[in-house]
Every structure is written in C-alpha cells, then in structure tokens.
Amino acid sequence: IFPEALIGYLVGPFCGLLANSLLSTYLNTYFKEVLFAGEVTAGVNAFLTIFPMVSAILIVAGNLIAGQIIERTRSRAGKARPYILLSAVTVAVASVLIFIQPIDNPVFKMVWLAVAYNLFYAVAFPLYNTANSALVPVSTRNGKQRGLLASLVNMAVLGGAGAGSIIFPQILAALARPFPNGNAVSDVGEKLPGSNGYLITFIVIGIVTFIGCLAQYYFTRERVTEEGMLKTVAKDGGEHTSVKKGPTMKEQARALFKDKFFVITIIFYLLYQLSGSIKNASMQYYTLEIFGEQGANMQSILGIVGAVPMAVAIVFVAPLCNKFGKRPVVFAGMIVGVVGGVIAGLFYDDTVLAAIGIALKCLGSAPAGYMILAMLADCLDHIEAKNGFRCDGFGMSVYSAILIAAVPLATGIVNGIVSIGSYGTVVAYIWIETGAYALAAIVVLFFGVEKFIAEDKEKIL
C-alpha cells in the first residue's frame, strides 16, 4: 500500500534516523572545536580517542538487550512497533542531552558527555534502530515487496547522511553568528557554531524525530508477526489474542551463527558500514586539509555528487535485483565502487576528478545500501525454514549493533589517522572504504541463500 511504504518505510525512518546521521558526521568536530575548545590537552585527546571505543562495548550490549526485549514482546501492535512509538520521546531527548553543558569544567564535561553519549548510543537509539530494522523482515513474506521496503528504509539512512553533508554545513555555519558560545574558529579563520548553535539545531531535530516516529508507528504493520497470533473465543463470546512463545537467546544465537549465509551477510555489512562510518567521520577533515578555505563548499559538493547517484539508483536497484538476484547486482556495485575509489584516491586534490571518483563510489555502494536489509530478511526466512522459529530480535540486534557501534569506532580510528598529516585524511576518507569494498565484493560471492527462497517459503507455509 502506497501510504504504508512512503510514510512507514521512508519518511518515518528518515526522521527517526536523522539524529544519528548528523551525529556521525558532526559529533567529533563538536567535541574538538566546541565542547573542548581551548582545552585540547593530552588528557582530553586521550579521552576523545579512548572513550568512543570503550563505549562501543556498551553499545553492542545495548543492542543485544534491545533485540531480546523486542523478541520477547507480545502485543497486539506486534513486537517491534511499540518501541518505535516509545522512541518518539527517548531518541529525541537523548540526542539533545549531548549538547547541554550545565557546568563549564573539563572533568565535568567529560563525565556528562560519557553519560549522555551512552544514553543515546547504548540505550535510546539501539531500541529504535533494532525495532526499525526488524520491521522489514516482519512486514511481509513477499520478496519483491520486501526488497522495495528495504530500499526505502536504506534510502532514509542515506538521505540523512546526505542532509548531513549537503544542508547542515550551511545551517551550522549560519548558526555560528546568531548563537555564538565560545571562541572556536576554523582553520581558515571563520567562527564555528557554539554549543548553543548545536543545541538549537538538535532541539529542532528532536521535534522532527518525535513526529516521524509517531507517523512510522501508525503507518506500519507486522504481517509475519501476526501469523503467530492465535485467536481464541472465550465462553462469553469475546475474542482474545495470544502469541506463541519465542525461542531463547541461546537458541537464536545458535541458529543464526550456524547459518553460513547469515555469517557471510554480517561480515559483508561490517566491512560496508565501518568503512562508510570512517568516511563520514573524516569528510570534514579531508575537505579542510586538502581544499583549505574552499573546504565547506567542497564538502557540500561531495555531498551532492554522492547523493545524486544514490537517489537515481533507487529506480533501478530493486528491479535489477528482482531480475538477476541480489548477489550479482551487489557484486557489480562493489566493483564500480572500487574503480571510483581508485580514481578519487589517485586524484584526491583535483576537485573535478575527486568528485567523479566519489560519485562512482557512491553509485557502486547503492545496491548494498538498499538491499542489505532484504539480504538479511532472506537469511532469517532460511533460518526459520530450517529451525521452525524466527530470530528477528537477535538477528536485527546484531545488524543494529554494527550500524551504531561503527560510529564511535570510526571516531576513534579517524582521530588516530588524521593526526599523521594531511594525507591521513585521504586515507581515512577514500582508501579505507575502497579497500573494504574490494573485500566485500569477494565476500558477497558466497551469498547463495537466494536459491533456497522458493523452497524455504514452502516449508514455512
């Protein structure tokens, strides 16, 4: 149904994921140039490098817990949708807390940041993202429809990243004037947005998140979950709904990690997501170091040339995958991405050639970006056919953990790489992702679950 696809799987997820998309791009800059501006000591630098990586442990744990909470939820609304509704408040509030500075003291700010950061990344966002990710596998068993819904959800993710690189550099630059707070300036002498500028921005983002999550809740449906609902008629004639008891966490983990196709898909996604997060976190460093005073404009240019191929690709990725299968289309995309990365890496300081290379790399990444949830859904159906139960909660918590934990891991990695000099920004922004795409192309060749789809459907029915 058109409204369900458009609002429930594109507009709603775009709003719900927007805060995370922007944080992955700007949070590291905020740490160094606003929150700890003038306080960049050895201790602060060590904190900013180590604390995101340590937080990754809590983030992974938070995602696993979120998956089990969702898997054990029994409600008439389903098992994932109730947490979309809850996230309308929790994600919005947690994202704003990061930018509040009650006391201007370095030690207090570190403590406050550690708490607020993990409230968002280890508590609020894992619950939303795991629920959001689980919606595609439980939405329908129709493979073509599921492929479309997966494309829309990932288009929402990429739309948030595009907004972060195209629109928000200009918004934050404008906020530096009306909301100054501190004396931070860029390498080319421009005043940077103060903490008040970031706070105002994320209050607005919080409102957008609230509205989007409400819309997503009301315009989605868990048809696969509904299959497990048993309707019984009581003596008084009333109808009651109960849900079959789900598998334990141990049973889910055993079923998932014994399945080679699920393991292959997770390795593929880890390469894709971590390298992409490193690219996003290093974009500002690359454009400022290589293009100097034109850095902000170049960031917007690269954002546009990256977003346009991705937007165009939405038209043909799903039809190509339906005709030829996900594996060959995703493989071909990864090869195109490698070619684009090599062009951008060799001509990293040439505005035109670097932009062409980035555009090709983004075009090549489109099939993987749009189809990853559909690939995982195919694996979950295959596992259900073999074991007789679904593992949506645990499976999507692993997926969500990679998505979220990639951001702090990338932050720590980028902080280390960019310190080696200007070419370190080129390595972080271009070469790491290019190498990851080459490895991912090899890995996806072993994604053979599609040949079992028809047989799996018959067994499940």
Side-chain angles (χ1 to χ4, degrees), residues 59-79:
I59 291 168
V60 171
N63 277 276
L64 294 177
I65 293 171
Q68 290 313 294
I69 290 173
I70 290 170
E71 193 61 53
R72 295 174 186 278
T73 295
R74 304 288 181 266
S75 77
R76 303 183 78 172
K79 57 185 178 181

Side-chain angles (χ1 to χ4, degrees), residues 19 49 58 91 114 123 143 183 220-221 228-229 234 280 286-287 304 375:
T49 300
L58 296 175
V91 173
V123 180
N183 300 310
T220 50
R221 182 177 168 187
M229 294 182 178
N280 292 337
Y286 165 73
T287 53
I304 292 171
M375 292 166 68

Side-chain angles (χ1 to χ4, degrees), residues 23-60:
L23 289 175
S24 66
T25 303
Y26 293 103
L27 200 54
N28 203 40
T29 303
Y30 168 77
F31 290 162
K32 290 191 170 184
E33 297 176 344
V34 178
L35 184 62
F36 294 107
E39 302 169 348
V40 184
T41 62
V44 170
N45 281 331
F47 171 77
L48 292 179
T49 300
I50 296 171
F51 127 79
M53 293 187 171
V54 173
S55 297
I57 299 172
L58 296 175
I59 291 168
V60 171

Side-chain angles (χ1 to χ4, degrees), residues 374-392:
M375 292 166 68
L376 283 168
D378 290 342
C379 293
L380 291 172
D381 280 357
H382 184 59
I383 292 167
E384 181 184 9
K386 290 195 302 181
N387 297 278
F389 56 80
R390 293 191 66 81
C391 304
D392 300 296

Side-chain angles (χ1 to χ4, degrees), residues 23 89-99 116-117 119-121 124-125:
L23 289 175
V89 175
T90 55
V91 173
V93 172
S95 64
V96 172
L97 287 176
I98 295 175
F99 299 98
Y117 183 95
L119 278 175
F120 180 84
Y121 278 111
F125 192 66

Side-chain angles (χ1 to χ4, degrees), residues 204-225:
V204 174
I205 297 302
I207 295 171
V208 171
T209 299
F210 180 82
I211 296 171
C213 287
L214 286 181
Q216 186 176 4
Y217 172 78
Y218 283 108
F219 283 87
T220 50
R221 182 177 168 187
E222 299 182 28
R223 293 172 180 83
V224 175
T225 305

Side-chain angles (χ1 to χ4, degrees), residues 306-348:
V308 170
M310 296 294 292
V312 172
I314 187 67
V315 177
F316 60 80
V317 167
L320 285 175
C321 288
N322 288 335
K323 184 174 182 179
F324 299 106
K326 301 179 187 70
R327 177 171 61 179
V329 175
V330 172
F331 172 78
M334 291 289 96
I335 297 301
V336 172
V338 170
V339 172
V342 170
I343 293 172
L346 293 177
F347 303 99
Y348 64 89

